[in-house]
Amino acid sequence: MTQSGPRRRMRSAGITLGLTALVAASLTGCSNNDDDQPDYAAICVDPETQQRADDDKCKDDREYHGSGAGFFWFYMATRGGAFVPPIGGRYNTADGSYSSSGLRNAGGGTATIKRGGLDTKGGNIGTISRGGFGKAGKGSSGG
């Protein structure tokens, strides 16, 4: 009778350690891989007011060189902890570029760019949504 008590504790500790290792391995497998992130993310902006606009107003990938009117893509590096402004918010022109022609990746090669798709409420530029199940999905059942 006196030996059953310690055995239960050892088995319980073994199960706890096994579950902890399993959860840690699962979380590691789900973490973001920086290699999958584009080098730059573009937000649609109005250069006259320096405010972010809805992505629908930027219809193509025209570049802006300080002249012209309308809305243009503004390219921000996804690495380095930059924050994207919300729609209607002012962006910092020092945080990016209007021109994609000089953008390079970390190795000096051609940069990958994601245009649009950033949180309309602003936030961390490193969290780019990549699809998923969606927020407004409609379920259906077979019958």
Side-chain angles (χ1 to χ4, degrees), residues 11-142:
R11 193 176 311 153
S12 176
I15 290 171
T16 302
L17 286 173
L19 287 174
T20 302
L22 181 64
V23 170
S26 298
L27 291 175
T28 301
C30 295
S31 67
N32 285 340
N33 186 351
D34 283 345
D35 293 338
D36 293 342
Q37 288 283 63
D39 299 306
Y40 291 87
I43 57 172
C44 185
V45 299
D46 180 352
E48 302 250 341
T49 63
Q50 294 188 344
Q51 291 181 327
R52 182 179 175 194
D54 191 80
D55 291 343
D56 293 341
K57 294 186 176 183
C58 289
K59 299 196 181 332
D60 57 35
D61 59 354
R62 291 180 301 166
E63 295 180 5
Y64 177 75
H65 298 286
S67 63
F71 297 92
F72 298 92
W73 290 111
F74 184 75
Y75 305 98
M76 303 175 75
T78 57
R79 291 174 176 81
F83 287 92
V84 62
I87 290 180
R90 291 180 62 97
Y91 60 94
N92 185 355
T93 56
D95 288 343
S97 168
Y98 288 108
S99 173
S100 64
S101 62
L103 302 180
R104 298 286 177 255
N105 63 19
T110 303
T112 56
I113 299 171
K114 173 161 178 54
R115 290 184 173 85
L118 296 170
D119 190 346
T120 58
K121 296 177 183 173
N124 186 344
I125 198 169
T127 55
I128 296 173
S129 67
R130 296 183 172 277
F133 298 109
K135 296 178 182 175
K138 295 180 181 178
S140 64
S141 61

Side-chain angles (χ1 to χ4, degrees), residues 2-19:
T2 59
Q3 294 180 357
S4 64
R7 279 189 179 172
R8 284 188 177 173
R9 286 187 201 150
M10 290 178 67
R11 193 176 311 153
S12 176
I15 290 171
T16 302
L17 286 173
L19 287 174

